[in-house]
């Protein structure tokens, strides 16, 4: 059996992966706070941005950065581009579905648990789809018990993350929740990696696909631009409290404009008795 390295670059890749996960999750939580106070198309836009932040940066980019530290003695690694891109799309979609379920389901347990189950299974699927995208001159198998543990971690982490999107408020609480989410995402990833068993093959045929480093520059450019745009949108937008106050003010103004007023008939004052005059004829 060949020797598998998960930290071939030392602490660089796990630390960077964790930071990317925490930043993506924190930005996503900032956007969900805006979504809670918004309605209609505005809420949809905030939730889509949160799905991009959490699913794209917080989960998928974390996975890919961590994979930069993965190596196998005596084996080259190439990545299938369509499958790798598909894993990114899957992460964003399942996170988005979970966010929409809990956002429109309110604080009920059903949407939260259903969204956590759906998102957790999807995130686990993203991880193993990304692993399937690796091409190397080796046979890969997985320990089903550890795979099951990684899926369970993904479901619990997704449920907790969705609960955070409904409850967390304030800078300190948001930062703390994002740090916890980053630990959960990284824990799921490295648990799934622990399930791998790699055995070198005798084949010397050239490997299809792209090197991991070939993805790195485009990913950094795209993620940086998207993250900057979403961060500016979150910072420049009114806070949840301000949005609720504005909505309440607009509701009152609309009520005044559309309200009807009933005229009240005020009785005329009773006439005072006429005083007698010198010119009145005697009765």
């Amino acid at each position: 059996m060949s020797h598998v390295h998960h930290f071939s670059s030392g602490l660089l890749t796990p630390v960077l992966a964790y930071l990317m996960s925490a930043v993506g999750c924190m930005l996503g939580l900032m956007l969900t706070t805006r979504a809670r106070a918004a309605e209609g198309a505005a809420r949809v836009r905030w939730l889509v941005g949160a799905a991009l932040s959490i699913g794209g940066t917080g989960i998928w980019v974390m996975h890919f950065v961590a994979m930069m530290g993965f190596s196998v003695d005596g084996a080259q690694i190439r990545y299938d581009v369509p499958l790798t891109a598909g894993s990114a799309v899957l992460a964003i979609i399942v996170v988005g579905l979970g966010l929409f379920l809990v956002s429109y389901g309110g604080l009920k347990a059903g949407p939260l648990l259903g969204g956590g189950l759906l998102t957790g299974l999807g995130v686990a699927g993203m991880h193993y789809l990304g692993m399937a995208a690796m091409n190397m001159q080796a046979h890969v198998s997985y320990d089903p018990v550890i795979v099951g543990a990684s899926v369970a971690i993904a479901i619990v982490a997704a449920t907790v993350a969705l609960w955070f999107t409904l409850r967390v408020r304030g800078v300190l609480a948001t930062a703390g929740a994002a740090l916890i989410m980053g630990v959960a995402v990284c824990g799921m990833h490295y648990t799934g990696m622990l399930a791998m068993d790699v055995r070198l093959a005798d084949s010397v045929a050239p490997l299809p696909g792209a090197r991991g480093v070939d993805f790195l520059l485009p990913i950094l450019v795209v993620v940086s631009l998207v993250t900057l745009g979403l961060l500016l949108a979150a910072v420049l937008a009114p806070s949840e409290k301000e949005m609720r106050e504005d909505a309440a003010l607009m509701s009152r103004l609309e009520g005044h404009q559309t309200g009807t007023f009933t005229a009240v008939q005020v009785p005329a004052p009773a006439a005072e008795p006429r005083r007698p005059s010198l010119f009145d004829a005697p009765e």
Side-chain angles (χ1 to χ4, degrees):
M1 183 176 67
S2 63
H3 190 65
V4 176
H5 301 276
H6 296 291
F7 309 104
S8 59
S9 300
L11 292 178
L12 176 63
T13 50
V15 170
L16 183 58
Y18 174 74
L19 290 176
M20 293 300 296
S21 181
V23 168
C25 291
M26 183 168 182
L27 179 57
L29 291 174
M30 292 172 62
L31 296 174
T32 56
T33 59
R34 294 342 189 241
R36 287 200 297 257
E39 298 292 341
R43 175 183 286 192
V44 172
R45 289 193 295 270
W46 288 122
L47 291 177
V48 169
L52 288 170
S53 300
I54 298 175
T57 303
I59 296 175
W60 186 81
V61 172
M62 174 272 146
H63 167 87
F64 192 83
V65 171
M67 290 305 299
M68 293 298 95
F70 176 77
S71 65
V72 178
D73 289 340
Q76 293 183 336
I77 299 175
R78 296 290 185 270
Y79 290 88
D80 184 292
V81 175
L83 281 181
T84 303
S87 66
V89 173
L90 177 61
I92 295 170
I93 289 177
V94 295
V95 170
L97 290 175
L99 289 174
F100 274 87
L101 274 176
V102 298
S103 178
Y104 288 94
L107 300 176
K108 299 177 182 178
L112 176 61
L113 295 177
L117 178 62
L118 173 64
T119 304
L121 291 175
V123 169
M126 177 280 303
H127 172 82
Y128 289 106
L129 180 60
M131 299 306 298
M134 288 195 308
N135 295 320
M136 54 183 165
Q137 295 163 341
H139 301 292
V140 179
S141 60
Y142 293 91
D143 184 322
V145 175
I146 302 179
V147 169
S150 69
V151 174
I153 292 173
I155 293 173
V156 173
T159 304
V160 173
L162 293 177
W163 185 86
F164 281 148
T165 66
L166 295 174
R167 294 288 189 176
V168 69
R169 284 178 172 82
V171 176
L172 291 179
T174 301
L179 294 176
I180 294 172
M181 290 168 68
V183 170
V185 172
C186 292
M188 181 269 158
H189 172 83
Y190 285 109
T191 301
M193 296 300 293
L194 184 63
M196 290 185 65
D197 181 17
V198 180
R199 296 179 181 274
L200 290 177
D202 296 330
S203 174
V204 292
L207 292 172
R211 296 181 304 166
V213 70
D214 295 335
F215 284 105
L216 193 58
L217 182 59
I219 287 175
L220 290 177
V221 172
V222 172
V223 169
S224 298
L225 292 176
V226 172
T227 301
L228 179 60
L230 293 174
L231 181 61
L232 288 175
V235 170
L236 296 178
S239 66
E240 181 183 6
K241 180 180 178 181
E242 293 171 337
M243 292 173 71
R244 292 191 183 280
E245 291 175 348
D246 291 343
L249 177 60
M250 292 300 298
S251 178
R252 288 197 297 269
L253 291 175
E254 291 176 358
H256 283 301
Q257 292 174 356
T258 59
T260 56
F261 300 91
T262 303
V264 178
Q265 297 292 336
V266 180
E272 295 182 359
R274 180 175 172 273
R275 295 180 179 180
S277 171
L278 295 175
F279 298 101
D280 290 340
E283 296 181 358

